[in-house]
Amino acid sequence: MKHRKRIYFSAEQKREIWDRWQRGESMSSIGRSFERDSSSIHPLISRTGGIRPPERKRSRLALTLAEREEISRDLKVGMSVRSIAKRLCRAPSTISREIKRNGGLRRYRAAASDKAAWDRAHRPKRCKLAGNPMLRRTVASKLKHLWSPQQIAGWLKRQYPRQVSNQISHETIYRSLFIQTRGVLEKELLAYLRSPRSMRRSRHTTLKGKKLGQIKNMVSIRERPASVEDRAVPAHWEGDLIAGPKNSYIATLVERHSRYVMLIKVKNRDTENVVSALIKHAGKLPGQLYKSLTWDRGKELSDHERFKIATNIDVYFCDPKSPWQRGSNENTNRLLRQYFPKGTDLSVHSQAKLNAVARQLNERPRKTLEYETPAERFGACVAAIS
């Protein structure tokens, strides 16, 4: 059995990954920037429950590299431990321990000793819940009663106003739940949170309230003309992306009146690529048969204004979490899973292959069209404008 090669990230790469994650980027997007799958990013983020670990810092009391170099030089010229300690204004016991644990008088080396000290210091700080069994039991009990960490922290502060040892912040509770290496709160308690998930984004790092996740100048579906709603008039389309592994996507378009399907190959879900592909494809249809496009709130269409300027096609956006407002498109996406099952790498299919699949769908009779095919219904629309 062939094993996959383990992927290692440098310290600088890890910092960039956490910076991107804190800016609200998805793991897929981060993976693309490193030319890797999201599966290589997940272990790094999930290890601490999606919460960025604090930057490691040396203790101000620890020996510095400069001091260790002084020790190394002084040992070579035969100075005693007490003389070295006096020169460095350190306790003799500190210098003695430093030399013994790093090779002794003859084998002591400053750089190697400094690195070894840094590695030994890599120990997590003990969690407050770990040292207070009563507080740990109280927190677990309240979680099982469906209290939120904020409610527990607030209640403890009121219950024990002068006993800081029996108080805890909601952030510590969250960290103890999501960072399982702490070993203080059972993972099963995650199920009692209002939004159970395996990872958490800190409230300081989400996009909520920063307007970064919103699409500028979007036009709501509620402003779409009534003639579009009843499907009596052709030329109004619904669109979406279906996704596969390795950041592969296909844009799907469905005409509301005839249920006619078009499939478009896209490189990825970046708005520049998606909008450019839609603009190119729109040129293949007469303007009379492509007057509007309704999309969900995916950021792949955040550059919708460029699409409208280039094509003169109105773009409408659905309400949040309302897939039924693009019912024809959602139903078509389910039909497409017959051809592209979940887990299929969509990037391997050419535009010619997508056209062939769309043709098969368009030539299948549909009950909603009284068993007329989408191709026949759409063909009648084309003939009407000719």
Side-chain angles (χ1 to χ4, degrees), residues 371-384:
Y371 296 102
E372 189 178 1
T373 68
E376 290 172 329
R377 184 68 65 90
F378 192 72
C381 296
V382 175

Side-chain angles (χ1 to χ4, degrees), residues 1-171:
M1 181 178 176
K2 188 177 180 180
H3 295 281
R4 290 192 301 176
K5 186 178 179 181
R6 177 174 282 188
I7 295 172
Y8 294 96
F9 292 104
S10 67
E12 190 170 336
Q13 287 176 321
K14 288 179 181 178
R15 278 195 293 272
E16 184 178 350
I17 289 170
W18 279 111
D19 287 342
R20 288 174 176 271
W21 177 252
Q22 289 185 300
R23 288 199 296 267
E25 290 191 36
S26 66
M27 291 190 195
S28 296
S29 175
I30 297 170
R32 282 197 299 273
S33 67
F34 289 94
E35 297 183 349
R36 292 172 182 171
D37 294 337
S38 59
S39 58
S40 66
I41 306 298
H42 183 271
L44 175 65
I45 302 294
S46 62
R47 195 174 296 124
T48 55
I51 301 171
R52 184 173 191 161
E55 199 77 28
R56 289 187 65 197
K57 296 180 180 178
R58 289 181 182 268
S59 168
R60 60 182 179 82
L61 301 176
L63 288 168
T64 65
L65 178 59
E67 287 177 314
R68 289 188 166 99
E69 288 173 344
E70 286 285 335
I71 294 172
S72 181
R73 284 193 292 267
D74 290 346
L75 287 175
K76 284 186 178 180
V77 298
M79 286 184 65
S80 68
V81 169
R82 289 189 175 276
S83 299
I84 297 172
K86 188 174 181 180
R87 269 172 48 83
L88 296 177
C89 298
R90 293 280 189 172
S93 58
T94 300
I95 305 302
S96 179
R97 282 195 303 269
E98 169 69 14
I99 295 170
K100 285 180 180 179
R101 66 162 63 111
N102 292 296
L105 296 172
R106 294 184 179 181
R107 298 174 58 191
Y108 184 87
R109 296 293 182 273
S113 300
D114 193 67
K115 183 180 182 304
W118 178 249
D119 292 339
R120 284 194 298 267
H122 191 56
R123 296 190 297 269
K125 183 180 178 182
R126 197 177 188 217
C127 172
K128 187 174 186 178
L129 286 174
N132 192 329
M134 189 195 79
L135 180 60
R136 185 167 65 248
R137 288 194 295 268
T138 301
V139 169
S141 173
K142 297 302 182 185
L143 285 170
K144 289 178 180 178
H145 282 84
L146 304 183
W147 285 33
S148 72
Q150 287 89 345
Q151 289 171 328
I152 296 171
W155 178 81
L156 287 170
K157 191 173 285 187
R158 285 191 60 196
Q159 193 76 2
Y160 305 103
R162 294 183 179 83
Q163 299 178 33
V164 179
S165 61
N166 286 326
Q167 298 176 16
I168 193 169
S169 71
H170 68 275
E171 187 66 26

Side-chain angles (χ1 to χ4, degrees), residues 48-51 127 129 139 143 146-153 168-182 184-187 189-190 192-203:
T48 55
I51 301 171
C127 172
L129 286 174
V139 169
L143 285 170
L146 304 183
W147 285 33
S148 72
Q150 287 89 345
Q151 289 171 328
I152 296 171
I168 193 169
S169 71
H170 68 275
E171 187 66 26
T172 300
I173 298 174
Y174 275 121
R175 286 175 179 266
S176 299
L177 285 168
F178 286 99
I179 307 176
Q180 282 297 303
T181 52
R182 291 186 168 194
V184 289
L185 291 177
E186 296 177 355
K187 190 175 183 179
L189 292 172
L190 283 168
Y192 295 102
L193 295 179
R194 289 168 191 172
S195 299
R197 57 180 70 126
S198 60
M199 286 190 294
R200 173 177 177 260
R201 287 177 184 257
S202 168
R203 65 184 178 88

Side-chain angles (χ1 to χ4, degrees), residues 218-226 228-229 237-238 256 292-297 315-320 322-327:
M218 69 168 64
V219 181
S220 171
I221 191 173
R222 299 178 186 278
E223 298 181 41
R224 194 171 66 178
V228 182
E229 198 66 32
W237 298 74
E238 297 174 2
R256 285 175 57 81
S292 79
L293 174 63
T294 301
W295 206 271
D296 64 10
R297 297 206 172 193
V315 181
Y316 302 99
F317 290 90
C318 296
D319 294 331
S322 304
W324 59 87
Q325 293 178 338
R326 294 178 302 99

